């Protein structure tokens, strides 16, 4: 259910190898206190039952049986993946606070692409990366010139929401934004009025890893709190779950300087570490093998078979 059986088989093979590697590496402790190791939801890997089984999916599984990614020490790579990196993938230390052997940041585009200059994304080039005129001709594998937004519906999982994820915009009134913040952040219970949202630190893909929320409390005093993980930032800034942490904040203020509307303009869908699913789909659609796709997203890992 991570991606549909309508995807090219070379993409499905790549997805199988990455998903198998993540499972066998078994380093995440999401369910350490439960009576099971892995579940079928977003915190692990989506599984929606045999109703999603197709002949091409089964072929991909069997064709890659035992194949995994290994790091330079021969250990199975804790291989992550997300729906859309937005053009540059992220490092695990900026998302989970720890490095993972075999995972690195890549520019999600051909080797000769001028867009590779955006790796890393910095405060100086962030605006152009998110909104520059070059986007109309972008050759990013996860971009709309390779995988059209109109076609995404048949490729993504049936529990995914179709939308624009390479670049996206979310606008909320101050009152709407304050309601969302109070719902997700108990420390903002005394907030009378939101004053500012500031990105304090970013990863190499532009994803925010720390933000500061400035507000006026019920006593009329200015206060601030910090959110220090990408997950909590995405969980707290939107009523569902913000598409990604790679965004800029644009605030429309009234004559007194108080926010009226808050707009987040961003890139990507998910944490952005490891395999970019829509990008890998784009590579498959342009004729790339699953081996070439894996080498692109995991240049510090090698591809091998650990059982037959």
């Amino acid at each position: 259910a991570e991606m549909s059986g309508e995807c090219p088989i070379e993409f499905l093979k790549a997805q199988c190898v990455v998903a198998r590697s993540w499972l066998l590496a078994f380093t995440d402790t999401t369910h350490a206190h439960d009576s099971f190791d892995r579940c079928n939801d977003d915190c692990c890997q989506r599984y929606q039952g045999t109703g999603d089984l197709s002949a091409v999916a089964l072929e991909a599984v069997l064709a890659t049986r035992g194949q995994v990614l290994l790091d330079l020490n021969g250990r199975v790579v804790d291989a992550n993946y997300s729906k859309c990196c937005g053009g540059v993938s992220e490092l695990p230390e900026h998302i989970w606070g720890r490095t993972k052997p075999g995972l690195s940041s890549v520019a999600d585009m051909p080797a000769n692409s001028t867009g590779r200059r955006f790796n890393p994304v910095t405060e100086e080039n962030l605006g152009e990366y998110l909104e520059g005129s070059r986007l109309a001709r972008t050759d990013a594998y996860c971009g709309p010139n390779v995988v059209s937004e109109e076609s995404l519906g048949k490729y993504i999982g049936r529990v995914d929401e179709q939308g624009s994820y390479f670049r996206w915009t979310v606008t909320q009134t101050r009152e709407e934004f304050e309601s969302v913040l109070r719902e997700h952040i108990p420390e903002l219970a005394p907030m009378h009025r939101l004053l500012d949202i500031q990105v304090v630190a970013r990863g190499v893909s532009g994803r925010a890893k720390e933000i500061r929320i400035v507000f006026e409390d019920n006593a009329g005093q200015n206060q601030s709190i910090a959110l220090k993980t990408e997950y909590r930032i995405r969980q707290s800034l939107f009523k569902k779950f913000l598409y990604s942490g790679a965004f800029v904040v644009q605030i429309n203020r009234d004559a007194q300087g108080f926010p009226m509307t808050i707009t987040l303009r961003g890139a990507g869908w998910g944490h952005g570490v490891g395999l970019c699913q829509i990008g890998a789909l784009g590579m498959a659609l342009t004729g790339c093998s699953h081996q070439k796709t894996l080498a692109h997203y995991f240049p510090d890992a090698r591809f091998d078979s650990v059982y037959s």
Side-chain angles (χ1 to χ4, degrees), residues 254-267:
D254 63 20
Q256 296 177 289
F258 294 121
M260 294 190 297
T261 60
I262 297 92
T263 296
L264 306 179
R265 298 189 184 278

Side-chain angles (χ1 to χ4, degrees), residues 9-287:
I9 191 168
E10 288 303 308
F11 164 80
L12 295 174
K13 289 179 182 179
Q15 176 69 75
C16 286
V17 173
V18 173
R20 183 182 296 114
S21 299
W22 177 88
L23 180 65
L24 293 179
F26 206 74
T27 60
D28 290 328
T29 57
T30 305
H31 296 292
H33 302 293
D34 295 316
S35 59
F36 51 87
D37 299 318
R38 292 289 182 258
C39 76
N40 65 338
D41 212 339
D42 280 343
C43 62
C44 294
Q45 299 189 49
R46 280 182 173 172
Y47 176 67
Q48 302 295 324
T50 56
D52 283 326
L53 183 62
S54 65
V56 68
L58 184 59
E59 182 183 352
V61 173
L62 297 177
T64 62
R65 177 176 170 80
Q67 296 177 4
V68 297
L69 294 164
L70 300 176
D71 66 23
L72 297 180
N73 293 313
R75 293 170 299 196
V76 180
V77 172
D78 182 6
N80 297 106
Y81 53 89
S82 65
K83 199 63 67 182
C84 177
C85 69
V88 176
S89 67
E90 189 52 81
L91 291 171
E93 52 262 43
H94 295 311
I95 302 299
W96 301 292
R98 61 188 178 94
T99 60
K100 295 186 178 186
L103 291 178
S104 55
S105 173
V106 302
D108 193 26
M109 50 202 72
N112 61 352
S113 173
T114 60
R116 284 180 170 258
R117 62 191 172 90
F118 291 104
N119 188 16
V121 177
T122 64
E123 289 294 342
E124 290 70 31
N125 65 23
L126 179 62
E128 185 182 0
Y129 173 71
L130 290 177
E131 304 182 84
S133 59
R134 54 166 287 280
L135 290 175
R137 57 184 187 280
T138 181
D139 56 358
Y141 291 125
C142 60
N145 292 334
V146 179
V147 183
S148 69
E149 292 179 355
E150 294 76 18
S151 71
L152 269 180
K154 73 174 182 177
Y155 293 128
I156 59 178
R158 64 180 171 86
V159 291
D160 292 326
E161 295 181 17
Q162 186 172 358
S164 177
Y165 300 110
F166 183 67
R167 293 294 180 270
W168 49 263
T169 300
V170 171
T171 299
Q172 302 172 89
T173 66
R174 191 194 77 227
E175 292 80 8
E176 290 171 335
F177 205 61
E178 289 170 344
S179 176
V180 170
L181 292 174
R182 289 191 186 96
E183 179 182 352
H184 293 293
I185 307 174
E187 303 97 303
L188 290 180
M191 178 173 62
H192 169 64
R193 177 165 44 201
L194 176 70
L195 299 178
D196 204 2
I197 301 286
Q198 303 163 353
V199 178
V200 177
R202 298 183 185 275
V204 294
S205 70
R207 283 168 167 80
K209 58 180 183 177
E210 181 178 349
I211 67 169
R212 184 165 300 279
I213 300 172
V214 184
F215 63 98
E216 179 186 308
D217 65 20
N218 292 324
Q221 300 298 310
N222 287 3
Q223 305 282 352
S224 69
I225 66 164
L227 302 182
K228 295 189 176 182
T229 68
E230 184 264 358
Y231 183 91
R232 195 174 186 209
I233 290 168
R234 292 173 60 204
Q235 179 190 51
S236 302
L237 298 191
F238 195 49
K239 55 189 174 183
K240 291 184 178 179
F241 202 80
L242 195 62
Y243 302 129
S244 107
F247 61 82
V248 292
V249 182
Q250 299 173 342
I251 300 178
N252 181 29
R253 300 179 183 272
D254 63 20
Q256 296 177 289
F258 294 121
M260 294 190 297
T261 60
I262 297 92
T263 296
L264 306 179
R265 298 189 184 278
W269 181 8
H271 54 65
V273 177
L275 181 85
C276 170
Q277 290 175 303
I278 293 176
L281 167 65
M283 292 188 72
L285 290 172
T286 57

